[in-house]
Amino acid sequence: MKKVINNPEAVVHEMIEGMVQAYPDKLRHLEGTTVIVRADAPVPGKVAVISGGGSGHEPSHAGYVGRGMLDAAVAGEVFTSPTPDQIYEGMKAIDSGNGVLMVIKNYTGDVMNFEMAAELAEAEGIKVAKVIVNDDVAVENSTFTTGRRGIAGTVFVHKIAGAKAEKGGSLEEVEAVANKVISHVKSMGIALTPCTIPAVGKPGFEISEEEMEVGMGIHGEPGIERTKVKTSHEIAELLVEKVLAEHQLTAEDKVAVLINGLGATPLMELFIFNKDVSEILAKKGVQVYKTFVGEYMTSIEMAGLSLSILKLDDELTELLEAPADTAAWK
Amino acid sequence: MKKVINNPEAVVHEMIEGMVQAYPDKLRHLEGTTVIVRADAPVPGKVAVISGGGSGHEPSHAGYVGRGMLDAAVAGEVFTSPTPDQIYEGMKAIDSGNGVLMVIKNYTGDVMNFEMAAELAEAEGIKVAKVIVNDDVAVENSTFTTGRRGIAGTVFVHKIAGAKAEKGGSLEEVEAVANKVISHVKSMGIALTPCTIPAVGKPGFEISEEEMEVGMGIHGEPGIERTKVKTSHEIAELLVEKVLAEHQLTAEDKVAVLINGLGATPLMELFIFNKDVSEILAKKGVQVYKTFVGEYMTSIEMAGLSLSILKLDDELTELLEAPADTAAWK
C-alpha cells in the first residue's frame, strides 16, 4: 500500500484538520468530533442541511459545506457510517430553530445512524426531515444496502436542496425539492481497479488487468457483470442506456450531466468519455443543459467513473445555477 | 494498460472535443487544430495570454482558459510539445491588436516551439512577449530541460498574469507581473507510482512497492533520490525545507500554498499532507494567506503530489483574488 499518510488509523482526523486549515473562511471543525460545519453556522432564519457518510469519497461530503449547499458534513471512518452521536452534534451546531434536513445515501448503516440521530435531535426539540438518495440504477440490493445505492447523484441533492434553504425555503419546501431531485437523478458507474482502505492495507477486491466491473458501488460492492475492458464509447453506450431507461424524457426536457471520476481516473479520460456521452445523447435527441466533469464522489483511489443524469425543470435549473461558496462545487 | 479511451492515438483530439462540449459557454475549439480559446476571443482592447504544452497534465492548460486567466491553451500530444504552427494559430485567434503574452514551462521543446511561433506571429505584426516558468527547485538540469523545470507553480502565473490582462494591463505590465510571479514561486514534488502514456501502453519507469521518488518531474523525469516511502509529515518536512530555502521570507511576508495532486492521489491524502505542511509552516512563522488543494497540474495517473509556495505582495494578492471564470480554477 503506497499512500501519503502518517497513521492509517488516524486518516480521517488528519484529513479533517488539513481541510479546515485549507479553507478557514468556509469551514469550521467541531472540536472533538468528525463534523465540519459552515464557518458561520448556525445561520439565523435558515433551514440547515446536513449530510455525510463514510470517508473515502472526498470531496464528498465536506467539500460541499458552505453558503448555498451544506451546513454540516459528518465523516465516518473510511467506508463506515458516522455514528449517531456525531451526526447529532452536527445537527445541534447548525440548527437555527428552523429545522434540519438530512441528506442520507441509501446504505443500511447510514440510514440507521441518521435515524437514531434524528430521534436524539427531535427529543431536544429540533425539527428534522430526511431524504434518502438511491440514484444508482445498477442493482436493486447490494452489500450494505437494501434497495438501490446512493452515489454521485447525491451531490445534485446537496446543491439544489442547499440552494433552496439558502433562498429561505421552509423545511417542508427544502425536503420536497430534495425529493424531487432524488426522483429525477439516476446514475451508474464502472470500475477498472479496486481501492485500498488505509487501515486494511490491501485492495478490497481483485480484478485482472483485462477486466472491468460494470455497475460497481462506491465501496467496491459488486456490480452486474465483469467484462473485458470496453472502450470509452462502449462504456458510454452501456451507461447512457441503463440510466436513460429509468427516465421518461420528452423532446422538451433538458438534463444536467455529471461525469464523476472515482479517484484515479485522469481528467483526460473523463473528457474523452464526455465526448462519447455527448454524442450518444445528441443522437437520442436529449438536450444537455449543463455538464459537470471531475471528481465529485470518489472511492479513494479507484480507477473508474460514473455517469449521472438529472432531469431538469425550471425550479431545479434555477437552484442548480444559484451561487454556492464551497471548497469543491463548481 | 487500463484506460477509459477509444484509440490511444486519438486521445488528445477526443479530449479536446469532450472538454469543449462540457463548457461551451467558456471554451471554443479552433477547428483543425489542438487549440482551445476563450469562447469570446479575441477580447477587444485586452492583452491576450496563451499557454500550453504536452497533454497529460489536465486540467492544465485548457482548464484555465476563460475570463480572467488564459485566452488560449495549445495542446501537444501526451508529454510532447505543441508544434509552432498550432501555437501560431492560437495567437492569431486571440490577438486583438494589443499583443500576446506566452507563458511557457521550461522544457527545451516547449521553449523552442513557442519561440518559433513568436517569430511567425511577429512577422505578421503581432506584438509578442514571453515568460518562462521554472519553479521546480528539485534539480538544475533534467531530461527535456536545461535549467529548472516548470511545474504546478505555472498555474499561479496563469491566474495572476490573466487577471492583470483582464484589468487592462499593457503587454509590458502583464509580462512584468508574470515575471514577478515566476521569481516568487518555488515548487517541488514526489511520486509514488509512474504513469502510462496511452500510445506507449506501459509505465514510463518502474518503482518498487516500497519506494518513492523525491523531486520527480511531471513527465516522470528523475528527481534527486529514491527512498523508502516516507510518511506525509516526513514528505512535508522535506519539501517545505527545499522550497523555503529558495525564498527569502520575513515575518511580515504572506504566502499562498498550492498542494497539487499528480492524478491518482486521493484528496484525502492531499488534505493530510496539507495538515502537515500547515503545521510546519506555522512553526516556522510563515503566514499562509490562502491554500489551494486539488489537481492543478497532473501527470496522467501518477500517484504523488507537489508543493508550491508563492510569496505574495499586495499586487499579487489582489490579482490572485480577482475573479476568474474557467473550468478548473477555484
Side-chain angles (χ1 to χ4, degrees), chain B residues 12-91:
Chain B
V12 173
H13 283 274
E14 294 195 353
M15 168 182 72
I16 287 172
E17 259 189 74
M19 200 160 186
V20 173
Q21 276 157 345
Y23 310 108
D25 54 325
K26 296 182 176 63
L27 305 178
R28 180 158 52 87
H29 178 207
L30 292 188
E31 221 170 305
T33 75
T34 57
V35 181
I36 287 180
V37 300
R38 268 176 73 154
D40 58 350
V43 182
K46 195 182 85 69
V47 167
V49 184
I50 190 169
S51 189
S55 294
H57 305 301
E58 293 68 30
S60 290
H61 299 83
Y64 304 115
V65 171
R67 188 171 44 79
M69 284 186 85
L70 301 179
D71 295 85
V74 190
E77 286 302 310
V78 179
F79 291 0
T80 302
S81 302
T83 53
D85 59 307
Q86 299 287 305
I87 302 167
Y88 174 51
E89 290 300 322
M91 297 172 80

Side-chain angles (χ1 to χ4, degrees), chain A residues 238-259:
Chain A
L238 195 159
L239 296 187
V240 168
E241 188 193 325
K242 291 277 188 187
V243 169
L244 284 190
E246 304 280 332
H247 279 295
Q248 275 89 47
L249 293 180
T250 69
E252 283 71 47
D253 286 321
K254 294 187 179 173
V255 301
V257 172
L258 170 60
I259 313 276

Side-chain angles (χ1 to χ4, degrees), chain A residues 56-69:
Chain A
H57 305 303
E58 293 69 31
S60 291
H61 299 82
Y64 304 115
V65 171
R67 188 170 45 78
M69 285 185 83

Side-chain angles (χ1 to χ4, degrees), chain A residues 218-238:
Chain A
I218 55 173
H219 311 93
E221 304 96 319
I224 50 178
E225 61 168 339
R226 195 164 276 203
T227 68
K228 250 191 86 183
V229 174
K230 295 176 189 287
T231 65
S232 170
H233 196 270
E234 288 165 344
I235 296 168
E237 285 198 317
L238 195 159

Side-chain angles (χ1 to χ4, degrees), chain A:
Chain A
M1 175 181 66
K2 276 181 158 181
K3 288 185 185 287
V4 179
I5 59 175
N6 295 301
N7 171 2
E9 307 292 338
V11 291
V12 173
H13 283 273
E14 295 195 354
M15 168 182 72
I16 287 172
E17 260 189 73
M19 200 160 186
V20 173
Q21 277 157 344
Y23 309 108
D25 54 324
K26 296 183 175 64
L27 305 178
R28 181 158 51 89
H29 178 208
L30 292 188
E31 221 171 305
T33 75
T34 57
V35 181
I36 288 179
V37 300
R38 267 176 73 153
D40 58 350
V43 182
K46 194 182 85 69
V47 167
V49 184
I50 191 169
S51 190
S55 294
H57 305 303
E58 293 69 31
S60 291
H61 299 82
Y64 304 115
V65 171
R67 188 170 45 78
M69 285 185 83
L70 301 179
D71 296 84
V74 190
E77 286 301 311
V78 179
F79 291 0
T80 303
S81 302
T83 53
D85 59 306
Q86 299 287 305
I87 302 167
Y88 174 50
E89 290 301 323
M91 296 172 79
K92 284 193 294 185
I94 59 175
D95 180 46
S96 65
N98 295 267
V100 178
L101 176 72
M102 298 174 142
V103 179
I104 311 167
K105 297 199 302 307
N106 189 34
Y107 299 97
T108 307
D110 286 28
V111 172
M112 192 173 69
N113 289 358
F114 272 87
E115 280 179 352
M116 285 173 64
E119 285 171 24
L120 294 171
E122 281 166 340
E124 293 297 317
I126 297 176
K127 282 189 290 178
V128 183
K130 56 179 190 289
V131 297
I132 296 177
V133 190
N134 58 354
D135 55 317
D136 186 350
V137 304
V139 294
E140 288 305 322
N141 297 296
S142 177
T143 333
F144 318 130
T145 330
T146 306
R148 288 177 168 182
R149 301 175 296 224
I151 58 171
T154 307
V155 179
F156 282 132
V157 185
H158 296 159
K159 176 64 189 71
I160 289 171
K164 185 74 183 175
E166 198 72 43
K167 282 179 188 286
S170 68
L171 184 58
E172 293 67 28
E173 289 169 337
V174 176
E175 178 188 11
V177 84
N179 274 321
K180 193 203 270 187
V181 178
I182 292 168
S183 70
H184 281 50
V185 65
K186 307 294 173 191
S187 307
M188 188 164 148
I190 60 103
L192 298 180
T193 70
C195 59
T196 298
I197 298 175
V200 173
K202 60 184 179 54
F205 60 92
E206 287 183 9
I207 185 164
S208 82
E209 190 53 35
E210 285 72 39
E211 286 181 317
M212 58 182 263
E213 176 98 15
V214 177
M216 168 154 299
I218 55 173
H219 311 93
E221 304 96 319
I224 50 178
E225 61 168 339
R226 195 164 276 203
T227 68
K228 250 191 86 183
V229 174
K230 295 176 189 287
T231 65
S232 170
H233 196 270
E234 288 165 344
I235 296 168
E237 285 198 317
L238 195 159
L239 296 187
V240 168
E241 188 193 325
K242 291 277 188 187
V243 169
L244 284 190
E246 304 280 332
H247 279 295
Q248 275 89 47
L249 293 180
T250 69
E252 283 71 47
D253 286 321
K254 294 187 179 173
V255 301
V257 172
L258 170 60
I259 313 276
N260 173 58
L262 292 179
T265 307
L267 258 178
M268 170 183 277
E269 296 175 32
L270 298 183
F271 283 121
I272 291 171
F273 181 72
N274 183 52
K275 175 199 76 73
D276 292 313
V277 168
S278 300
E279 278 175 12
I280 295 164
L281 290 177
K283 267 196 201 136
K284 290 180 183 291
V286 176
Q287 293 187 59
V288 177
Y289 170 76
K290 191 155 187 169
T291 304
F292 301 85
V293 179
E295 294 185 341
Y296 288 81
M297 173 86 68
T298 61
S299 302
I300 318 179
E301 78 287 4
M302 191 182 280
L305 54 78
S306 64
L307 168 69
S308 300
I309 296 182
L310 170 66
K311 178 180 160 179
L312 293 167
D313 62 13
D314 289 348
E315 180 188 30
L316 298 184
T317 304
E318 185 197 335
L319 295 168
L320 184 64
E321 293 285 14
D325 181 26
T326 74
W329 177 258
K330 71 170 292 156

